Amino acid sequence: MEKRLLLAFVLSAAILLAWSVIFPPPQRPVPTTAPAAEPQAPVEQPSEPAEAVDETAAGHDEENVEPVVSAEAMVATTEESVALSNAVMEIELTNRGAAITAYRLLAYDGDDGQPLDLVQTVPLDEVARPLQLITAEGPDDALYLVERVEGGAVFRWSDGRGNQAVKRIALSGDGYGLDVEIDTAGTLAASRVSVGTGMRDLAEVEQNSRLALWGEGVLLADGEVTRFKRRKVKERQVLAPASVTFAGFEDAYFFNLLRPESGPSEVWVEPYDFGVGEDETQRVLRISVAPRRGVLRGQLLGAPKEYDLLQEIDQGVEKTLNFGLFGPISVFFLKALRWIYSVVGNYGVAIILLTLGIRILLFPLMHTSTVSMRKMAKVQPKVKEIQAKYKKKKSDPQARAKMNQEMMALYKEEGVNPMAGCLPLLVQLPLLWALYKLFLSAIELRHAPFLLWITDLSAKDPLYVTPVLMTATMWLQQRLAPQAGDPQQQRIMRMMPLIFGIMFLQFPSGLVLYWLANNVITIIQQEITLHLVGERKRGGSGAKTKKRKDGKA
């Protein structure tokens, strides 16, 4: 029974791991869906200029303020760009549509070695750049007049007939993000404000990885996080939540979010496909928000998913970094990993040392499990005798109950606890899952080199050396471990290294390195335990001879 529980535990862990990779969790159902129709243009505003409104009052109650409408046309004649920068980011804007054309994070490199740009290149006419208006006719491409101010710029456009837009965009101090104020009037008051169309360009290797998350939609509304998978959004979704904390894009390591001070009336999520080859297509999402009464105040925040930074920003943004059910354990391991890195200066070495520390702490549990398994192996002949005695009475409940009673009496007589071998392994499952989620999401491992051919611990091993070594050490660990269970169960267990090896071919090399180091350390600890209990004679000949005599080689 104990061996079947152990087998069930190992198979369950493998199925759970494979299922989470092949079939990711479904996105949360949409809170509210409004009719997916294009907004109707409101009645055109009178051409007479409105009276100026006190700016202080506007800051307190933006929804009740009518923007000042210009009676004169304000249109630029040439296209020009505006650059904003601080120590952590570099922003480029264009007056065509008063939109962002580049949002570079200076501390992080893209696949081309240049500062990472959160604006994705998408060859579609429907592309709406961050902060660009989306009208009933499509993305706004008007030429705005530009007024440069300290730390930002003001973009103005008007046709002189009551239709106008004013955008004030400025750096949010020395950190990440842009402060945004948008006022529209006339037909433009029905426009939506774009958060973007997709997010950042990825290399082919990362695009083809099943584990890569990029350009996914994320929304925190009414206190709940909803995620929109690119491949699963088949048609336009129009949401009308009561309150919106943020809406935008995320991947495993970065996000680009619009954080309105007051909730927009609607959030739009639209899928678009474009060709990337002769017979391949790629899907991107276009996400936008519809301001109430044509007025939007808030922040456009593009930043890395760095744990300490997210905790500092707070206000729900920290929810974009999701370590799963055992998140607190993952956070503890992350802090330990970063501390070790501060000493050794190499994240690959830090992973090995962290694994060593964890295995040392878990050694008492492993020792208990191994000893219990050996005791169970010794009583297996007697267990089989009992099972053989009742073999022809399997359908008789009374006989089955009597068989179980005899087996429990045997366990008690031999001092064996059937669950003692499984419980220590069960305790380790949260730790293994926490490490798995950590190595998939920690931005510290992105583009972090280990040695020789492994130049990025967040990407797969390009030569597949570590997955092959991991498979070999799993097989060796099984060969050296106490063999238990019937022949059929043992055959299933012997297939596990191959199954795991195939799965781990596409896993980040940092995760594979952890598993490889864990296997090697476990083999060493296993041998130490078997020597302590007398199962390994000097030179190993005693144990092997005994196995041959018992016919259990």
Side-chain angles (χ1 to χ4, degrees):
M1 181 173 65
E2 190 268 356
K3 303 310 168 190
R4 292 176 180 174
L5 287 172
L6 177 59
L7 178 62
F9 163 75
V10 174
L11 290 176
S12 299
I15 292 172
L16 177 64
L17 188 63
W19 188 271
S20 67
V21 174
I22 301 173
F23 305 104
Q27 62 191 57
R28 188 187 300 276
V30 174
T32 308
T33 303
E38 290 288 348
Q40 298 296 319
V43 178
E44 188 171 300
Q45 300 294 324
S47 59
E48 293 81 13
E51 295 183 0
V53 180
D54 182 67
E55 291 183 2
T56 304
H60 290 291
D61 193 3
E62 63 188 50
E63 294 184 6
N64 297 324
V65 174
E66 293 292 339
V68 178
V69 180
S70 174
E72 298 180 359
M74 295 184 293
V75 181
T77 57
T78 59
E79 185 172 354
E80 60 180 298
S81 61
V82 177
L84 305 175
S85 64
N86 58 21
V88 296
M89 64 181 188
E90 184 178 85
I91 311 298
E92 289 185 8
L93 303 101
T94 177
N95 68 329
R96 184 172 294 282
I100 295 175
T101 56
Y103 196 122
R104 301 186 186 95
L105 306 183
L106 301 180
Y108 298 90
D109 292 338
D111 296 309
D112 57 358
Q114 300 300 314
L116 182 136
D117 191 351
L118 293 181
V119 178
Q120 184 174 349
T121 304
V122 181
L124 289 174
D125 294 336
E126 296 86 354
V127 166
R129 293 165 173 166
L131 302 185
Q132 189 171 10
L133 296 181
I134 303 176
T135 68
E137 290 76 29
D140 173 29
D141 61 354
L143 291 175
Y144 284 62
L145 294 177
V146 180
E147 177 188 354
R148 289 172 170 81
V149 298
E150 184 178 358
V154 180
F155 297 84
R156 293 183 175 90
W157 179 90
S158 173
D159 63 359
R161 299 191 302 272
N163 304 310
Q164 74 171 34
V166 178
K167 300 182 184 180
R168 298 172 180 86
I169 303 170
L171 296 169
S172 300
D174 297 329
Y176 295 99
L178 295 170
D179 293 329
V180 178
E181 297 180 10
I182 299 177
D183 297 277
T184 57
T187 57
L188 291 180
S191 302
R192 306 189 307 278
V193 178
S194 169
V195 187
T197 306
M199 189 184 79
R200 81 182 180 98
D201 297 324
L202 273 71
E204 183 179 357
V205 173
E206 194 170 358
Q207 289 182 16
N208 295 334
S209 172
R210 293 190 62 88
L211 298 176
L213 300 176
W214 56 282
E216 312 283 68
V218 60
L219 169 70
L220 177 53
D222 299 331
E224 293 190 1
V225 176
T226 304
R227 288 182 161 87
F228 303 90
K229 304 297 184 184
R230 289 181 303 105
R231 296 183 179 93
K232 293 187 178 181
V233 179
K234 304 298 183 183
E235 58 186 14
R236 173 195 303 161
Q237 298 187 27
V238 182
L239 317 178
S243 65
V244 175
T245 305
F246 62 71
F249 297 91
E250 68 170 352
D251 59 24
Y253 305 114
F254 303 94
F255 60 76
N256 190 27
L257 309 174
L258 182 62
R259 305 166 66 198
E261 292 180 0
S262 60
S265 60
E266 293 177 341
V267 177
W268 288 47
V269 181
E270 304 168 279
Y272 289 96
D273 295 332
F274 61 93
V276 293
E278 294 182 358
D279 55 355
E280 291 186 33
T281 59
Q282 187 177 111
R283 176 167 297 170
V284 293
L285 301 179
R286 189 177 76 176
I287 298 178
S288 57
V289 301
R292 297 183 187 275
R293 299 173 62 86
V295 178
L296 177 69
R297 301 286 187 273
Q299 182 189 50
L300 183 68
L301 178 63
K305 288 186 178 181
E306 200 275 321
Y307 178 78
D308 291 338
L309 174 65
L310 299 186
Q311 296 302 310
E312 180 182 348
I313 297 173
D314 198 15
Q315 299 180 5
V317 178
E318 72 281 357
K319 295 181 180 180
T320 59
L321 182 59
N322 182 19
F323 286 131
L325 180 62
F326 304 109
I329 302 176
S330 296
V331 171
F332 174 80
F333 286 148
L334 173 61
K335 293 182 177 180
L337 184 68
R338 283 162 40 174
W339 180 83
I340 297 172
Y341 172 77
S342 68
V343 177
V344 300
N346 184 298
Y347 270 111
V349 177
I351 289 174
I352 296 174
L353 294 178
L354 176 63
T355 307
L356 176 62
I358 294 172
R359 294 312 309 177
I360 291 175
L361 291 176
L362 295 178
F363 180 70
L365 291 176
M366 180 184 172
H367 178 80
T368 301
S369 176
T370 303
V371 171
S372 176
M373 291 174 64
R374 293 309 298 155
K375 288 183 179 180
M376 284 295 300
K378 291 179 180 178
V379 301
Q380 279 302 304
K382 296 181 180 180
V383 170
K384 290 181 179 180
E385 289 178 5
I386 297 175
Q387 292 173 339
K389 185 167 65 173
Y390 293 94
K391 184 176 182 180
K392 297 182 180 180
K393 301 178 181 180
K394 288 184 178 181
S395 58
D396 185 353
Q398 293 183 348
R400 222 169 32 242
K402 190 174 181 181
M403 180 186 71
N404 291 334
Q405 290 177 358
E406 290 188 24
M407 291 177 64
M408 294 307 296
L410 173 64
Y411 292 147
K412 184 176 181 180
E413 178 183 349
E414 298 289 341
V416 175
N417 182 357
M419 296 297 296
C422 286
L423 288 177
L425 296 177
L426 193 60
V427 172
Q428 298 179 49
L429 182 59
L431 305 182
L432 296 175
W433 188 254
L435 286 166
Y436 166 74
K437 295 294 289 185
L438 169 63
F439 294 138
L440 284 182
S441 306
I443 194 171
E444 287 79 2
L445 301 184
R446 181 181 180 272
H447 290 184
F450 175 37
L451 53 79
L452 300 178
W453 69 95
I454 301 180
T455 59
D456 185 355
L457 288 169
S458 68
K460 68 178 183 180
D461 184 338
L463 302 182
Y464 301 107
V465 174
T466 49
V468 171
L469 291 177
M470 187 207 76
T471 303
T473 53
M474 284 190 69
W475 175 84
L476 180 60
Q477 184 180 345
Q478 281 191 353
R479 295 294 296 174
L480 297 177
Q483 300 296 310
D486 56 46
Q488 183 177 0
Q489 291 173 344
Q490 291 185 20
R491 281 194 297 270
I492 295 175
M493 292 298 295
R494 281 196 290 268
M495 293 175 59
M496 296 306 294
L498 181 60
I499 295 174
F500 269 74
I502 295 174
M503 286 173 48
F504 274 60
L505 286 175
Q506 301 298 323
F507 277 25
S509 55
L511 177 61
V512 181
L513 178 62
Y514 156 74
W515 209 277
L516 172 60
N518 185 76
N519 288 347
V520 173
I521 298 170
T522 300
I523 290 172
I524 295 173
Q525 291 182 331
Q526 193 171 273
E527 289 300 298
I528 292 174
T529 293
L530 294 178
H531 276 283
L532 291 176
V533 298
E535 293 291 335
R536 292 282 192 266
K537 303 295 183 182
R538 180 169 297 182
S541 58
K544 295 178 180 178
T545 302
K546 182 177 180 180
K547 285 185 178 181
R548 284 195 294 269
K549 289 181 178 178
D550 293 339
K552 298 178 183 178

